[in-house]
Amino acid sequence: MLREQVSLQALNTFGVAATARWYGEAASPAELAQLLADPRVADLPLLVLGGGSNLLLTRDFDGLVLRYTDDHIRAIARGRDSHLIEVGAGMNWHAFVDWSLAHGYVGLENLALIPGTVGAAPIQNIGAYGVEVERFINAVEVFDRERGCTTIHKHDACGFDYRWSRFKRDGERDRHIVVNVRLRLPRQGELQLDYPGIREELATMGIAAPNARDVFDAVCAIRRRKLPDPAVIGNAGSFFKNPIVAAEIAQALLAKHPGAPTFDAGAGRRKLSAAWLIDQCGLKGYRDGDAGVSAQHALVLVNHGAASGADLWRVAQHVQATVRERFAIELQPEPVVV
Ligand code: EPU
């Protein structure tokens, strides 16, 4: 059912005020097709909302805002070492990670507490603590608006990269709506403990031989401590991607700042820490009215109360300009900016 003039304030984790001209929810591909064909919205711009946790609304949306709500989980094939699990795009990601561990699967524990839905996970290839979701993705089923039916994209056709997939490309972003994600989940597997902080956290917890649930608990503890909670202060997680640069640029940075964190990014490139760059510019805790940079983590922009999307976008541009001036490095936003 379509509703007109709907407030999106409770539907984005920044908590900024914005209104959708039209808003609708669908729980199946058939309902989706019906909504999209409605003559009142058929020719208007479309914005698909997941958990609203990776989105900055800088204005009202003069089109259709859509949520896909199906959150079923079912095993579609059971092998000896792994099972193929299909999950509705509307399922909450963290609840699914919890479900997977409770049902004896291993692998998703490092991705605990990432806000958002299962449907959004492949779109930006969510990652944390040394693991990216693409490792577990077998296929993504989308509703293709051009063809008017669902199609399945196997892993290799998804164009996964760091916080990136084909579903973010211009032209594809509005064409495909994720309806199901198929994940191949191992029954056993090695734990990924190498990301800085994980082993220390487990040691603090007094755990010498961790299992997947222990790693989940450690990741939750680190995230709760390091990242501001959107339920308490509006934010959308990391606001900028970590810049990936040529090795020479990383070397030049290290020559001047031996303490700068850099990571291998393959193909002779290095990933720099956007949080570190922003922090070095003295911007951690920066505030312009109610919009600002988190005092807890320099990569997170926060809404202290009544900031508008435009206020937050102004802070984002200030951060970009300051880092550009100081380091000649361009920061790219991670969330979708409308
Ligand atoms: N740092 C600072 N100042 C800060 C915070 C961090 O200098 O205020 C430095 C730290 O010293 C550390 C480095 O920055 O050496 C990296 O920090 P952190 O481990 O917190 O990770 P990140 O690179 O800032 C990325 C992801 C996060 C993910 C964490 C953990 C991106 C854009 N962000 O952040 O993902 O949780 O690693 O794996 O890749 C998200 O995408 O929304 C997100 C939160």
Side-chain angles (χ1 to χ4, degrees):
M1 202 199 37
L2 283 173
R3 289 195 288 139
E4 208 169 352
Q5 300 298 338
V6 172
S7 166
L8 300 174
Q9 191 155 22
L11 298 177
N12 74 93
T13 60
F14 263 126
V16 298
T19 303
R21 181 160 157 212
W22 295 99
Y23 175 83
E25 293 182 354
S28 67
E31 279 184 32
L32 198 53
Q34 203 185 355
L35 259 185
L36 294 168
D38 189 299
R40 292 171 293 177
V41 299
D43 296 320
L44 295 182
L46 175 71
L47 174 66
V48 182
L49 266 192
S53 54
N54 200 47
L55 171 72
L56 176 59
L57 293 162
T58 63
R59 53 173 168 78
D60 292 337
F61 191 73
D62 189 22
L64 170 64
V65 173
L66 182 90
R67 274 182 65 209
Y68 192 74
T69 56
D70 176 20
D71 60 357
H72 77 274
I73 300 178
R74 77 186 168 105
I76 51 180
R78 288 193 172 87
R80 197 170 54 100
D81 301 327
S82 67
H83 295 176
L84 192 57
I85 307 292
E86 180 185 272
V87 191
M91 177 81 197
N92 173 274
W93 172 262
H94 178 72
F96 172 62
V97 172
D98 193 31
W99 177 95
S100 74
L101 295 172
H103 287 76
Y105 299 106
V106 180
L108 300 182
E109 54 280 356
N110 295 44
L111 303 177
L113 227 51
I114 297 184
T117 57
V118 168
I123 296 178
Q124 63 149 353
N125 188 16
I126 56 170
Y129 301 97
V131 176
E132 284 183 337
V133 74
E134 66 144 310
R135 185 188 300 184
F136 302 97
I137 291 194
N138 167 267
V140 179
E141 185 174 1
V142 300
F143 182 83
D144 182 337
R145 292 171 70 205
E146 263 171 39
R147 296 173 59 183
C149 62
T150 61
T151 56
I152 291 182
H153 300 264
K154 301 289 289 179
H155 174 280
D156 290 354
C158 291
F160 290 121
D161 205 339
Y162 167 60
R163 293 295 191 279
W164 186 258
S165 74
R166 66 176 292 179
F167 307 112
K168 280 185 105 171
R169 277 186 214 147
D170 288 340
E172 302 231 15
R173 208 179 21 232
D174 294 334
R175 175 173 172 183
H176 296 126
I177 299 166
V178 178
V179 293
N180 289 313
V181 180
R182 291 184 184 171
L183 300 105
R184 183 164 289 289
L185 297 183
R187 300 300 289 171
Q188 285 171 21
E190 238 175 85
L191 300 173
Q192 304 295 324
L193 307 176
D194 289 338
Y195 193 89
I198 301 262
R199 286 199 170 83
E200 293 80 347
E201 191 67 32
L202 288 164
T204 311
M205 290 159 62
I207 292 164
N211 59 29
R213 179 60 75 172
D214 297 326
V215 176
F216 172 94
D217 290 340
V219 167
C220 288
I222 298 171
R223 289 187 72 105
R224 289 205 169 99
R225 198 168 54 235
K226 277 200 171 178
L227 295 167
D229 179 355
V232 177
I233 183 165
N235 76 82
S238 299
F239 194 85
F240 297 102
K241 294 194 208 185
N242 285 326
I244 295 175
V245 299
E248 303 81 70
I249 294 180
Q251 264 157 22
L253 181 72
L254 283 167
K256 276 198 204 157
H257 307 273
T262 74
F263 308 86
D264 182 35
R269 291 152 70 83
R270 308 281 303 168
K271 195 191 275 182
L272 307 180
S273 162
W276 184 88
L277 295 166
I278 296 166
D279 209 341
Q280 288 296 303
C281 291
L283 287 170
K284 191 167 173 171
Y286 169 85
R287 198 167 162 168
D288 176 359
D290 268 353
V293 177
S294 168
Q296 235 175 308
H297 198 298
L299 200 48
V300 182
L301 297 193
V302 289
N303 178 0
H304 288 283
S308 68
D311 296 337
L312 285 155
W313 185 233
R314 207 166 46 243
V315 167
Q317 287 173 310
H318 175 66
V319 170
Q320 280 175 316
T322 310
V323 168
R324 186 186 306 128
E325 211 166 286
R326 170 92 185 268
F327 293 105
I329 287 167
E330 201 58 45
L331 295 182
Q332 303 292 347
E334 188 197 58
V336 175
V337 179
V338 174

